[in-house]
């Protein structure tokens, strides 16, 4: 089974901004508590992703590339507003970080994610990393679609 072990943090500094960004648009075909089904257009690529329930920072994740035209059609079928963000990928002390700068109803929110091999894998925290929000469901992208950051 494919799994994702991911920790999520707020971003407080700007040193990450040297990394180029890729525009993302994503929506949810299903946001059930036991599973989410997401469609995403990331630059010139598109993906369909199914995620299971989080247990700690771990959950099942299955991701499949799909044609961009299919993804655009699926985005029109999504439940709730779409998530728009720009993703910046950079490496700090050997660890790959994804920094998402949200737009639209989630403007002002900047979150960094790191995927790990195990929940207890050590990593060096970048100076621009703020509070950990891994277990705060408000920061799940699936929740941001229906409960946007600007309306908290």
């Amino acid at each position: 089974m494919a799994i994702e072990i991911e920790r999520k943090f707020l971003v407080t500094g700007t040193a990450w901004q040297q990394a180029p960004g890729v525009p993302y648009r994503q929506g949810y075909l299903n946001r059930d508590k036991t599973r989410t089904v997401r469609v995403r257009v990331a630059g010139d690529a598109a993906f369909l992703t199914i995620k299971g329930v989080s247990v700690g920072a771990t959950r099942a994740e299955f991701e499949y590339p799909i044609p961009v035209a299919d993804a655009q059609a699926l985005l029109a079928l999504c439940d709730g507003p779409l998530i728009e963000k720009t993703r910046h990928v950079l490496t700090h002390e050997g660890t790959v970080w994804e920094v998402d700068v949200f737009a639209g109803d989630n403007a002002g929110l900047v979150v960094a994610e790191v995927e790990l091999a195990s929940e207890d894998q050590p990593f060096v925290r970048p100076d621009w990393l703020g509070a950990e929000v891994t277990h705060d469901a408000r920061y799940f992208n699936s929740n941001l679609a229906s409960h946007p950051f600007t309306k908290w």
Side-chain angles (χ1 to χ4, degrees), residues 9-13 16 99-102 106 108-112 149:
F9 301 82
L10 296 178
V11 173
T12 59
W16 59 270
V99 177
D100 290 339
V101 179
F102 289 83
N106 290 296
L109 180 60
V110 182
V111 175
F149 180 69

Side-chain angles (χ1 to χ4, degrees), residues 21-93:
V22 175
Y24 277 47
R25 290 182 73 226
Q26 66 189 45
Y28 292 86
L29 297 166
N30 182 19
R31 290 183 289 134
D32 185 87
K33 289 185 186 269
T34 60
R35 82 195 67 75
T36 59
V37 180
R38 176 187 73 208
V39 60
R40 170 186 279 171
V41 176
D44 296 329
F47 304 90
L48 184 66
T49 306
I50 300 108
K51 294 187 179 195
V53 174
S54 292
V55 178
T58 304
R59 64 181 162 181
E61 178 185 56
F62 303 90
E63 185 166 77
Y64 307 97
I66 62 173
V68 172
D70 288 359
Q72 297 289 5
L74 287 169
L75 285 172
L77 300 175
C78 286
D79 175 23
L82 300 181
I83 296 287
E84 296 181 66
K85 61 187 179 181
T86 301
R87 175 163 285 175
H88 304 263
V89 178
L90 62 149
T91 302
H92 175 77
E93 300 281 339

